């Protein structure tokens, strides 16, 4: 779903050096499974309302709607500076 959390999630993914792979929950499960396997996904950012759509995904699933309350106190200890990327 398009939301503020989605924009923040995409920004966080890109700042951490990850790749954004849009997975539409209306796609058939076989299609989603193929996309997850083909992209070699290890972590999926999602909403709790689409938890059952991912089937037997063995990686880590973080739910955006539960993540804010869980990590607010954890983030206070980390720097707000951008990551330094070197070649």
């Amino acid at each position: 779903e398009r939301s503020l959390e989605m924009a923040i999630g995409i920004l966080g993914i890109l700042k951490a050096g990850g790749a954004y792979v849009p997975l539409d929950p209306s796609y058939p499960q076989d299609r989603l499974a193929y996309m997850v396997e083909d992209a070699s996904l290890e972590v999926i950012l999602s909403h709790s309302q689409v938890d059952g759509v991912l089937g037997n995904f063995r990686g880590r699933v973080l739910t955006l709607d539960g993540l804010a309350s869980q990590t607010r106190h954890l983030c206070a200890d980390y720097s707000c500076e951008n990551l330094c990327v070197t070649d």
Side-chain angles (χ1 to χ4, degrees):
E1 232 178 87
R2 292 183 178 134
S3 65
L4 178 60
E5 290 89 1
M6 178 183 168
I8 293 169
I10 292 171
L11 180 61
I13 290 166
L14 297 176
K15 286 185 77 163
Y20 172 69
V21 179
L23 299 171
D24 189 340
S26 66
Y27 289 165
Q29 279 196 341
D30 290 343
R31 170 83 172 135
L32 289 172
Y34 172 77
M35 291 172 70
V36 167
E37 183 181 339
D38 189 52
S40 300
L41 301 183
E42 295 178 15
V43 178
I44 292 179
L45 233 46
S46 181
H47 283 276
S48 60
Q49 53 189 300
V50 293
D51 278 347
V53 175
L54 298 172
N56 59 356
F57 175 64
R58 292 188 176 94
R60 189 170 179 192
V61 178
L62 302 173
T63 55
L64 288 172
D65 43 352
L67 197 58
S69 62
Q70 295 170 3
T71 59
R72 188 169 290 135
H73 66 283
L74 296 174
C75 294
D77 296 336
Y78 291 99
S79 171
C80 293
E81 298 295 317
N82 287 330
L83 295 174
C84 180
V85 178
T86 58
D87 291 325

